[in-house]
Amino acid sequence: KRLAHPRLHSPILGLMTEYIVGLKAYAETLRRIDEEGKRPGKSPAWLDLREHRLEGVEVLDRYTYRITLHGKYPQFVYWLAMPFFAPIAPEVDQFYSQPALVDRNITLDWYPVGAGPYMLTVNNPNRQMVLERNPNYFGETYPDAGEPADDAAGLLQDAGKPLPFIDRAVFSLEKESIPYWNKFLQGYYDASGISSDAFDQAVRIGASGEVALTEEMRGKGIDLRTAVQASTAYMGFNMLDNVIGGLSERARKLRQAISIAVDYEEYVSIFANGRGLPAQGPVPPGIFGYRAGETGMNRVVYDWVDGAPRRKPVEVARALLTEAGYPGGVDRTTGAPLVLYLDATARGPDDKSRLDWLRKQFGKLNINLVVRATDYNRFQEKIRKGNAQIFTWGWNADYPDPENFLFLLHGAQGKVKSQGENASNYTNPEFDRRFEQMKNMSNGPERAALIDEMVEIVRKDAPWLWGMHPVEYGLAHAWMGNRKPNQIANNVLKYQRIDAKRRAELREQWNPPILWPLGVGALVLAAFVLPAAVAYRRRERRTGQIRLTETAEP
């Protein structure tokens, strides 16, 4: 019901009204009641949601309710796991609606009330946030099943034990990466990511691409875990553009040529420290429908060589460019050099090197890439109106389902047409027809076959230069247990455990008191003080002798 509350502005209300029976009418009812109850100069009265019935939701017992949907929507179970559907007690809603609290900004946002394993006891985002064990947690046990490798990795040793294991978790804000990294190495932080500055100190990448920790990290017992993120970073082509857009063979081969020429393997190596997987399509690893190996290779851009995909030679891209009507990067019909435009929000020195690299990639085809730098608001406006020709974009999964990536290419989601998330404004009837079939199907062979067909369609049309899927690198000390990378869930803290005794021992071992600076300081101080003391003593003696002589004369 809170999804439809007129004062909360839920970002998923529009989507949920399409599926939850009666939610749209319920939202309209609440909006009308809220408008009628407004009083000039006074805080709005509490809106008791229990007084108004939501047709598609039925309470079964104290802990169970049933939601009725329009049609079939398997992805709905993922939405139920998100914060939008977190249960809020009515008395909490009523308490925080008191005018005296609202006027003092004492709200549920800053003083949350929930039923999870931890309580937020310190909430200072500019310095520190602290979670402490919730004594009223309803009780949950550690999983007793997992993936095939989990048991061997020791991740099921706590099966059946009550959660959580950690009593108190402290999150501190470090404004500089160097002191943060040094504190991690000293054992004062339990886990860490790897910044670009510290990457070479932490990780070594072998000649064949294997990733390993350095001797220093292994010597401290630090563990490295990697996981491909459920996200994609891509370069989009505006399919409404009269040069690079459309489904004509001319435009399609131009996009394919660029897709081959822009070497994302090199990009990952230079700009991401190797922390990325060149994409073969829109669906990232770990999501149903993704295929690895030769069967999942983009044959428009790659050949399968020695058991791995290898980017086609640039000569293939030049041949495609000639077939597209641009031999040597010159328009055959006009004789003018081909000029393309990239809209970007780049401003800093790091961005300059990236853009120079992109110009070099397009230069392989003698294409002049002009970068139009702008601020983010202007960039978004260009995307909304379809005024950008080429752009870089990305998407993080809302939930682990292929529909959440393939809808980015669905014609009905066109940015210009309907303000959807299809920023390239790609439309292909064959793709759209299959998408409508696939989107609400349960996972299985039939759905997988449709996804394969859709991916092949977009690989050929190349509305995106597929870019890469980022890889997350995480480090943890040996005293941390039950750590498994998860790019979707945010509730992993309750599973982890800490060996506090071992942590204390290693901290003491790694940070022994360093006494030699005190000795050096004492010597330096003595070097300054001793000559001064001797000089003072000599002066005192000379002064005493003079006084004796003067008093003896009378």
Side-chain angles (χ1 to χ4, degrees):
K1 286 182 174 181
R2 284 170 55 83
L3 293 178
H5 199 300
R7 302 174 204 158
L8 296 182
H9 310 291
S10 170
I12 64 164
L13 175 61
L15 176 65
M16 291 297 107
T17 55
E18 298 177 15
Y19 292 103
I20 298 177
V21 172
L23 184 59
K24 186 174 183 178
Y26 184 76
E28 286 297 319
T29 299
L30 294 185
R31 185 191 59 77
R32 175 177 49 80
I33 293 172
D34 189 51
E35 287 292 329
E36 294 173 353
K38 286 182 178 177
R39 299 162 296 174
K42 295 185 178 182
S43 300
W46 177 52
L47 193 58
D48 190 350
L49 305 183
R50 293 172 295 181
E51 295 179 356
H52 312 285
R53 181 175 177 269
L54 174 56
E55 179 186 355
V57 178
E58 177 187 2
V59 175
L60 302 181
D61 58 45
R62 181 175 172 83
Y63 299 111
T64 314
Y65 62 94
R66 176 186 291 122
I67 302 177
T68 304
L69 304 180
H70 293 291
K72 184 178 179 180
Y73 187 40
Q75 295 84 3
F76 188 68
V77 295
Y78 299 128
W79 288 111
L80 290 175
M82 295 185 188
F84 310 112
F85 285 91
I88 300 294
E91 55 268 28
V92 171
D93 189 22
Q94 183 177 14
F95 176 80
Y96 282 113
S97 297
Q98 296 178 85
L101 299 183
V102 174
D103 293 342
R104 290 168 175 79
N105 199 31
I106 300 176
T107 64
L108 187 60
D109 295 340
W110 279 95
Y111 301 93
V113 177
Y118 290 101
M119 304 181 296
L120 184 63
T121 56
V122 176
N123 186 13
N124 184 358
N126 293 319
R127 183 177 178 272
Q128 191 178 82
M129 301 179 79
V130 177
L131 295 175
E132 296 188 32
R133 182 194 292 268
N134 178 5
N136 300 313
Y137 186 47
F138 64 87
E140 185 180 4
T141 58
Y142 193 89
D144 58 4
E147 293 180 314
D150 289 345
D151 195 12
L155 291 173
L156 296 178
Q157 292 180 359
D158 288 320
K161 294 180 181 178
L163 299 175
F165 298 120
I166 296 173
D167 293 324
R168 189 168 181 264
V170 180
F171 300 87
S172 299
L173 176 66
E174 291 282 357
K175 296 184 178 181
E176 299 291 338
S177 61
I178 293 176
Y180 163 75
W181 176 249
N182 288 336
K183 289 177 185 177
F184 169 71
L185 294 181
Q186 291 173 303
Y188 294 108
Y189 287 131
D190 302 306
S192 173
I194 310 176
S195 68
S196 297
D197 294 336
F199 190 82
D200 290 339
Q201 184 182 356
V203 174
R204 292 283 182 268
I205 299 179
S208 59
E210 71 278 6
V211 178
L213 286 170
T214 61
E215 290 291 337
E216 179 186 1
M217 299 297 110
R218 291 201 298 270
K220 287 180 172 289
I222 292 173
D223 179 43
L224 171 67
R225 297 290 176 92
T226 65
V228 181
Q229 296 183 20
S231 63
T232 184
Y234 64 90
M235 179 180 290
F237 302 111
N238 182 7
M239 299 297 283
L240 301 179
D241 184 78
N242 56 11
V243 175
I244 207 165
L247 297 180
S248 67
E249 278 299 304
R250 177 187 177 99
R252 183 183 287 118
K253 289 184 177 181
L254 172 59
R255 295 191 297 271
Q256 290 176 352
I258 294 171
S259 299
I260 294 171
V262 180
D263 188 346
Y264 256 87
E265 285 77 13
E266 183 177 289
Y267 178 92
V268 169
S269 175
I270 295 174
F271 298 106
N273 295 113
R275 290 177 285 185
L277 181 69
Q280 304 292 328
V283 181
I287 304 297
F288 180 83
Y290 173 82
R291 293 193 183 277
E294 187 174 4
T295 58
M297 183 183 69
N298 181 359
R299 298 185 182 278
V300 173
V301 177
Y302 293 89
D303 294 317
W304 189 257
V305 180
D306 297 330
R310 180 179 298 174
R311 187 171 294 270
K312 291 180 183 292
V314 72
E315 289 75 20
V316 176
R318 290 171 182 155
L320 284 169
L321 193 65
T322 300
E323 294 174 18
Y326 302 99
V330 176
D331 191 329
R332 184 182 289 126
T333 58
T334 65
L338 178 58
V339 179
L340 297 177
Y341 298 89
L342 171 71
D343 281 275
T345 58
R347 294 289 175 144
D350 292 341
D351 295 320
K352 182 181 183 303
S353 60
R354 235 185 321 263
L355 295 174
D356 288 343
W357 179 85
L358 273 174
R359 292 189 187 97
K360 180 181 177 183
Q361 301 302 302
F362 279 74
K364 296 176 184 176
L365 304 177
N366 290 331
I367 297 175
N368 182 16
L369 180 67
V370 176
V371 177
R372 300 187 291 201
T374 183
D375 62 77
Y376 190 61
N377 289 335
R378 174 65 178 146
F379 173 76
Q380 286 186 307
E381 183 182 359
K382 284 186 173 184
I383 297 296
R384 282 195 300 267
K385 294 183 177 180
N387 293 332
Q389 189 178 57
I390 306 174
F391 56 92
T392 56
W393 207 267
W395 185 260
N396 294 316
D398 293 309
Y399 43 81
D401 191 87
E403 178 266 345
N404 195 234
F405 287 92
L406 294 171
F407 92 111
L408 300 171
L409 295 162
H410 185 212
Q413 289 284 334
K415 184 69 72 173
V416 173
K417 177 182 177 182
S418 60
Q419 295 302 301
E421 296 297 342
N422 180 355
S424 62
N425 300 293
Y426 171 70
T427 299
N428 183 314
E430 290 301 312
F431 179 91
D432 292 346
R433 179 175 61 81
R434 288 171 172 81
F435 178 82
E436 293 295 341
Q437 289 179 261
M438 179 280 307
K439 67 176 184 178
N440 290 336
M441 292 175 65
S442 300
N443 290 341
E446 187 178 354
R447 195 183 198 210
L450 282 172
I451 293 171
D452 289 342
E453 293 172 10
M454 294 166 66
V455 170
E456 284 304 313
I457 290 171
V458 294
R459 283 173 177 166
K460 180 181 177 183
D461 288 344
W464 294 358
L465 195 164
W466 302 106
M468 70 170 189
H469 307 300
V471 176
E472 182 180 287
Y473 281 40
L475 300 175
H477 283 291
W479 56 74
M480 290 203 73
N482 299 339
R483 283 184 61 85
K484 181 178 179 179
N486 189 315
Q487 304 306 309
I488 298 292
N490 295 315
N491 64 341
V492 296
L493 180 65
K494 64 184 178 182
Y495 301 113
Q496 296 173 8
R497 68 161 61 247
I498 293 285
D499 185 342
K501 181 181 179 182
R502 187 178 184 188
R503 177 173 62 185
E505 291 171 350
L506 288 175
R507 275 184 186 173
E508 185 176 355
Q509 177 184 329
W510 294 341
N511 304 286
I514 302 175
L515 301 178
W516 66 262
L518 296 176
V520 172
L523 291 175
V524 171
L525 183 63
F528 281 101
V529 172
L530 186 59
V534 171
Y536 178 77
R537 183 65 177 167
R538 286 175 179 173
R539 180 180 176 186
E540 285 293 309
R541 287 179 177 177
R542 285 199 302 270
T543 303
Q545 291 172 357
I546 291 171
R547 287 175 179 170
L548 287 173
T549 303
E550 290 176 346
T551 55
E553 286 181 357

